[in-house]
Amino acid sequence: MLITVVGDSVTYGIYKAAINETYCAVLAQRLGGRFPDTQVVRYDGKMSGDSMPLAGYEKAVVVNKGNKGKITVVKCGVGGDTVRRALNRKEDYIGSFITGETTDIYMLMFGINDSLKDDASKYVSPQKFLEDLKELTSLLNRTNPNAEIVLLTPTYGDDGTSKISCLEPHVENMKILADEKNYMLIDTHELWMKHLVIGGENCGQGDWLADDPWHFAPAGGIATGNYIFEELNK
């Protein structure tokens, strides 16, 4: 089984999260614990620059050395990516792009950059976000018709002063797409909003965030990876 996770800098795990502390790494670790006799391998994409195609992948990280099947988790995140920018680097993740295998499960986490109203080079309306997501998922359906698509809602991007999130309109349209196409949706945004403490440190997210409203500290990556695993395992 090949799981490909496509997203932005939150998926890549820049800033305070080490390469083994991203939510993708935590997901691979949890899969290894769930299937101890299965070989579990992780590949981490190498950024060549914000919004640029990947420069390749790091050497495989072996999580388990089992001999009863294989699970591969590929982290394909690029800083600054919107859905549109991800479409422009589709060669990073479509087809038999790394191990000769084709993807069985695509996980897509976008919305933080798409909702940045202060950055005209990234921002799109919630409706355009929905249209871009439809284009991306249609591309994946055409190129990997047997792959399952899992939508991960964008995690956090607020200042911690309100339970009303700036991401909500984009989140709602991601839910609309999931309902319309019968895609699995994992509401990681809800996870973060439940963790929010109004007026607390680090934009109300305490030790889950690093130095801005978006990027995870190790605890945030661990919590998010665990949550995704538990939702998949239901």
Side-chain angles (χ1 to χ4, degrees):
M1 175 182 288
L2 175 58
I3 302 171
T4 302
V5 188
V6 188
D8 52 32
S9 57
V10 168
T11 297
Y12 184 80
I14 63 173
Y15 299 135
K16 288 188 176 178
I19 199 166
N20 63 344
E21 295 169 334
T22 66
Y23 75 82
C24 296
V26 174
L27 174 61
Q29 292 161 12
R30 291 298 305 273
L31 288 168
R34 174 67 176 82
F35 302 105
D37 297 325
T38 299
Q39 183 184 21
V40 179
V41 179
R42 189 184 89 237
Y43 289 88
D44 296 303
K46 295 188 290 186
M47 273 181 54
S48 58
D50 277 5
S51 306
M52 298 291 291
L54 291 175
Y57 287 88
E58 304 284 357
K59 183 179 178 181
V61 175
V62 178
V63 179
N64 278 357
K65 294 182 178 180
N67 55 14
K68 294 183 179 179
K70 181 181 180 183
I71 300 173
T72 303
V73 177
V74 176
K75 184 187 76 176
C76 187
V78 169
D81 258 16
T82 60
V83 178
R84 176 56 49 190
R85 290 177 175 183
L87 279 161
N88 291 338
R89 63 176 185 93
K90 58 184 179 293
E91 290 79 9
D92 283 345
Y93 51 84
I94 62 172
S96 305
F97 64 97
I98 185 167
T99 63
E101 306 165 81
T102 55
T103 298
D104 297 289
I105 299 175
Y106 277 108
M107 295 186 182
L108 309 176
M109 183 187 282
F110 290 100
I112 286 179
N113 291 302
D114 307 76
S115 64
L116 281 178
K117 289 186 175 180
D118 293 338
D119 190 338
S121 70
K122 297 176 182 177
Y123 176 76
V124 294
S125 69
Q127 180 59 34
K128 184 64 167 64
F129 177 64
L130 175 59
E131 292 168 4
D132 288 348
L133 271 177
K134 286 183 175 180
E135 184 177 343
L136 175 56
T137 54
S138 294
L139 170 69
L140 299 180
N141 286 329
R142 292 194 306 272
T143 55
N144 291 64
N146 295 319
E148 181 179 355
I149 293 176
V150 179
L151 301 180
L152 310 175
T153 54
T155 49
Y156 194 73
D158 298 298
D159 61 10
T161 60
S162 174
K163 283 284 186 179
I164 300 173
S165 173
C166 68
L167 296 173
E168 201 62 36
H170 292 71
V171 169
E172 288 305 309
N173 275 0
M174 185 175 273
K175 292 177 180 179
I176 287 171
L177 179 61
D179 287 341
E180 180 182 312
K181 297 294 186 179
N182 200 29
Y183 297 144
M184 182 177 185
L185 183 133
I186 298 178
D187 199 350
T188 38
H189 178 69
E190 181 181 32
L191 171 76
W192 280 72
M193 293 307 291
K194 285 182 177 178
H195 183 259
L196 172 64
V197 176
I198 298 295
E201 293 183 352
N202 293 327
C203 301
Q205 292 292 345
D207 65 353
W208 280 23
L209 277 182
D211 299 325
D212 60 42
W214 309 285
H215 297 104
F216 299 177
I222 291 168
T224 304
N226 283 333
Y227 182 74
I228 293 169
F229 172 79
E230 296 295 344
E231 290 296 298
L232 288 173
N233 204 38
K234 284 182 177 179

